[in-house]
Amino acid sequence: MEETILILDFGSQYTQLIARRVRELNVFCDIYPYNKIPPLGTHIKGVILSGSPFSVKDKDPLIPDLSGIRGNYPVLAVCYGAQYLALASGGDVMPSKIREYGRANLSYINPESDLMKGLSNGSQVWMSHGDTILNVPENFCVITSTPSVDIAGFRIADEPTYGIQFHPEVYHTTEGALLLANFVVDICGCHQSWTPESFIESTIKALQEQLGDDQVVLGLSGGVDSSVAGMLLHEAIGPNLHCIFVDNGLLRKDEFRNVLDSYEHMHLNVIGVDASERFLSELNGVSDPEKKRKIIGRVFVEVFEEEARKIRNIKWLAQGTIYPDVIESRSVKGPSATIKSHHNVGGLPAHMNLKVVEPLNALFKDEVRRVGKGLGLDPLILGRHPFPGPGLAVRILGDITKEKVRLLQEADSLFIEGLREYGLYDKVWQAFVVLLPIQSVGVMGDERTYENAVVLRAVTSTDGMTADWAQLPFEFLAWVSNEISNKVKGVNRVVYDISSKPPATIEWE
């Protein structure tokens, strides 16, 4: 099995960021809730305890069972994890008298500490905790301090267990990557062998063993995840993979034909299904966003099932599920509150009796892209911005008509192609146009108009969990506004969305 750093999650907003930083060291890691520790083995090289929004002084604190871990594996406890270790060992933890949120600087570093090796005195760190460790047992050695936090880090003398009260995973901790490398590489002894190339090789071999000569069906969307999943499966089982690409009538302009052409060049076995009239008919008169999603999900499943039944002896359904979806299903307090239904359509009906294979369920989105590059995926697909499963349905506020779809497709095409022309497309994480359910007064020539308003939306992000609005050049915004107003009949007003996530979401519906 792959060398693994096990991360135990206490509900911190930064837990996934810890995993990303570990993986940047070319070391595999896996996140589990603190109370659902998986079977341990020699493949586990170390354990990281995350922070938490909760307090170790709560009436019902989060208490992990570390009996099989402490002393057997190196442990790095961050924030809540460090406070728990201190309290459980007989130390004192109390609510902080001074706010310990934000930037701080290390004022003391133990020169003999292997965890702190190479870190600079005065190095900036990021604090984010309401409790603080007041004192620790005699077998705890303080390894770092800040002017206001005496015990900013410690090691337990008789075991390879460390605790820190700051977050090494965030960018504001300027030497956090070095601290994590000290723990993961030097203390845990990981070999940094988990690379896109090694992932491709091991995954293809595993897929061949898992699937044998069975027939597999995969729903392609034209996006990165399903395309990379398709490439991996194609490399593993060749013609035994059957891909279905459904046009729901809500794709970008000319996308159905362009994506099919791309897949043909990739030598994938793809069936293109134009079901646009069926989807638009079912959506007629529907304005509620959740109802739109559910209708599109239901019709997709019906169309997919009909096409899959035409293929003989299908035994597996392949899905482009990625690691954040897996983490969400394991979350400490259960799945997060539903802000809106997930963009991606779920699995097929149980009566189809298909087993599920998910070759990407260990990867973050950026890792999927690196694997896709290693597989030689078309750069146009590899760099494609995320696109919601319901497509333009969640970008047309209100009811959906053919004319509204046409209008939005034209405006969106001008925006996206403009970003490419100005060299901005790859500098933003996602960009699109939203059609508002309002009309506004305008003047074109000598005539008064009363036409539609559209919103341009562009954000920067790493994985979509948080996002900032993209500060596109004013000259570009002026140009694209003029292009859309002049070339898209029915639009006379263009606005730009400068909301970040949170408090807004990226999509409008």
Side-chain angles (χ1 to χ4, degrees), residues 70-119:
R70 285 186 57 178
N72 296 320
Y73 302 93
V75 174
L76 174 63
V78 177
C79 199
Y80 179 97
Q83 292 154 12
Y84 166 75
L85 284 179
L87 187 64
S89 301
D92 289 329
V93 177
M94 295 295 290
S96 305
K97 294 180 179 179
I98 302 173
R99 280 179 61 87
E100 292 172 359
Y101 296 95
R103 294 173 177 85
N105 296 93
L106 300 181
S107 57
Y108 163 74
I109 295 174
N110 185 326
E112 297 180 1
S113 170
D114 45 3
L115 182 68
M116 305 299 293
K117 184 178 62 179
L119 271 71

Side-chain angles (χ1 to χ4, degrees), residues 137-334:
E138 290 185 0
N139 65 329
F140 279 51
C141 174
V142 176
I143 58 175
T144 189
S145 305
T146 73
S148 59
V149 181
D150 291 336
I151 308 173
F154 61 77
R155 176 179 177 174
I156 301 178
D158 53 353
E159 58 184 89
T161 299
Y162 307 78
I164 51 176
Q165 290 208 83
F166 56 89
H167 288 269
E169 69 273 20
V170 301
Y171 287 113
H172 301 299
T173 298
T174 52
E175 295 179 323
L178 175 58
L179 185 150
L180 288 172
N182 287 342
F183 178 72
V184 170
V185 180
D186 296 340
I187 295 171
C188 297
C190 293
H191 291 87
Q192 299 181 276
S193 58
W194 197 69
T195 64
E197 293 73 22
S198 69
F199 175 83
I200 291 169
E201 182 180 351
S202 63
T203 301
I204 288 173
K205 182 178 178 181
L207 288 170
Q208 289 170 337
E209 293 175 354
Q210 181 181 14
L211 303 174
D213 293 327
D214 290 349
Q215 304 293 305
V216 180
V217 64
L218 167 68
L220 290 171
S221 67
V224 176
D225 300 340
S226 66
S227 299
V228 173
M231 289 285 284
L232 276 170
L233 286 158
H234 175 72
E235 291 290 325
I237 62 174
N240 287 354
L241 173 66
H242 306 268
C243 303
I244 299 173
F245 180 39
V246 177
D247 182 1
N248 60 11
L250 299 160
L251 303 176
R252 286 191 169 116
K253 182 181 178 182
D254 300 327
E255 186 169 25
F256 184 57
R257 179 44 49 197
N258 291 340
V259 170
L260 280 177
D261 288 344
S262 296
Y263 285 142
E264 185 177 332
H265 294 144
M266 291 156 57
H267 308 294
L268 290 180
N269 181 17
V270 183
I271 301 166
V273 182
D274 184 355
S276 54
E277 294 292 340
R278 182 167 170 179
F279 278 88
L280 292 175
S281 175
E282 292 269 4
L283 290 165
N284 184 41
V286 178
S287 297
D288 180 81
E290 281 299 294
K291 288 182 179 177
K292 289 181 192 176
R293 281 186 171 81
K294 288 175 181 176
I295 289 169
I296 292 168
R298 173 179 57 79
V299 177
F300 176 86
V301 167
E302 291 171 358
V303 172
F304 192 96
E305 182 179 1
E306 290 167 9
E307 294 300 322
R309 282 181 168 172
K310 297 176 184 177
I311 307 167
R312 299 185 62 184
N313 299 320
I314 294 291
K315 293 185 179 180
W316 294 85
L317 168 67
Q319 296 186 152
T321 306
I322 62 174
Y323 192 52
D325 301 324
V326 175
I327 297 170
E328 175 69 11
S329 69
R330 295 176 180 167
S331 63
V332 171
K333 293 291 184 181

